[in-house]
Amino acid sequence: MSGSNALAAGLATGAALLFTISFALQQRANLVVMSSGGSGARPVMARPEWLAGIGLQLPAFALQAVALGTGAFAVVQPALITQLVFMVPAGAWVVGSRMRARDLLAPAVVLVGLVVVELATRPEPGLEVASGGAWAGPLLMLLVVVGGCFAAGHALPSYRAALRGAAVGVWGAALGALAKQVIGSGADGAGAIVGSWALWALMVGGLLNFLWVNLALRSGRLVAALVTMSSVAPVASVFLAVTVFEERLRGGPGAVTAALIGAALCVVGTAFVARSPSLVALGSAAPTAGGSAAGPADGGRLAALDDGARRGGPG
């Protein structure tokens, strides 16, 4: 991996960490409000944890933007799968559970798999700004996939969380590609950024993403949504990197074999991450599709979150 790609991967990992902390703080605010019998968005938005979580979005996006301007898109976006890795300790903090050393084994497998994939494929940067024609086909395909996931989720309630998570993952990859297009147009000055269609598409798409993320996380199975969201995004990102930005993945049969092994490690690690006690507890404490919070057994634990938040530590 080149120096620029290594730096880009590091910056993307830092962005993933901030995104995860942001989510954890917002989810903690939701659980505190629910444990005290509250409901609705207003009391959640009044919580300092929620405000801090929203505040972290800006530096997270800034790091991601710098990463996109530094290395290949096929390097930056897959590195964001580390959000799933960071979610294990973050989930333990949100629900106030104690994390054991073995809980980090599955996240370590995901990281190893990701590194193997990146080293095997060695993506090379391509276009900084793609033409509108290059965008048309791939973006339309992703929109069809997103719409299909939401339609299937409506028809198959048992798989709704996973399907909505997949839709959000695909759309997140598209937003990352749009952000790269906007950053690339900045080489021609601020006027080119403002006049770029990608900027306005990114703004509209970002609002849709905010709504879709909340739909995914309120589908009743938080872990399923998070896992598919984190797993599908890298695949969609590599697709856009190759088809839109003309990035090349190097390597012969040996590299392809190594990449497949790395991808398999990511899949296996992700499956075991989903079974992490902290994420399972976080999922059972999250609001369900019917709007109900945790059950009585969990309510006692979550009630301590408010006191823990005021003390500055986990409940």
Side-chain angles (χ1 to χ4, degrees):
M1 184 182 294
S2 66
S4 60
N5 277 343
L7 176 59
L11 292 170
T13 302
L17 175 60
L18 291 182
F19 280 128
T20 303
I21 296 174
S22 170
F23 167 79
L25 287 168
Q26 293 176 69
Q27 188 67 2
R28 186 179 175 91
N30 273 282
L31 298 185
V32 168
V33 170
M34 287 190 299
S35 66
S36 62
S39 62
R42 183 171 297 178
V44 173
M45 294 171 65
R47 295 289 309 179
E49 303 99 317
W50 190 88
L51 295 172
I54 293 298
L56 281 177
Q57 293 282 316
L58 182 59
F61 279 119
L63 276 180
Q64 183 182 3
V66 175
L68 288 169
T70 302
F73 185 71
V75 169
V76 174
Q77 290 300 106
L80 293 176
I81 196 177
T82 51
Q83 289 182 76
L84 192 62
V85 175
F86 297 132
M87 189 58 67
V88 174
W93 175 75
V94 169
V95 299
S97 65
R98 184 171 298 174
M99 191 177 66
R100 295 162 295 184
R102 67 182 183 182
D103 294 333
L104 296 177
L105 179 59
V109 171
V110 175
L111 284 178
V112 170
L114 180 62
V115 171
V116 170
V117 170
E118 296 290 2
L119 291 178
T121 56
R122 294 173 294 163
E124 293 182 342
L127 301 173
E128 292 297 323
V129 178
S131 66
W135 273 96
L139 191 57
L140 179 60
M141 289 178 64
L142 293 189
L143 286 171
V144 170
V145 171
V146 170
C149 285
F150 275 107
H154 182 73
L156 303 170
S158 298
Y159 299 95
R160 183 171 297 163
L163 287 166
R164 286 182 174 178
V168 171
V170 169
W171 193 242
L175 291 180
L178 288 170
K180 179 176 176 62
Q181 179 91 351
V182 172
I183 293 167
S185 66
D188 295 326
I193 294 179
V194 175
S196 171
W197 66 269
L199 174 64
W200 306 104
L202 181 62
M203 293 174 65
V204 174
L207 291 175
L208 288 174
N209 189 65
F210 178 80
L211 296 174
W212 289 345
V213 165
N214 281 276
L215 279 175
L217 297 182
R218 289 182 174 272
S219 297
R221 295 182 61 196
L222 178 66
V223 175
L226 288 174
V227 169
T228 54
M229 195 184 302
S230 301
S231 302
V232 171
V235 178
S237 296
V238 172
F239 168 74
L240 288 171
V242 173
T243 58
V244 176
F245 295 109
E246 300 181 9
E247 295 182 2
R248 290 190 301 164
L249 307 180
R250 297 184 294 176
V256 172
T257 301
L260 290 175
I261 292 173
L265 287 174
C266 287
V267 171
V268 172
T270 298
F272 280 99
V273 165
R275 299 173 61 183
S276 168
S278 60
L279 285 188
V280 172
L282 182 60
S284 64
T288 65
S292 59
D298 294 318
R301 170 190 274 180
L302 297 177
L305 285 174
D306 198 14
D307 292 334
R310 285 195 290 265
R311 292 196 303 269

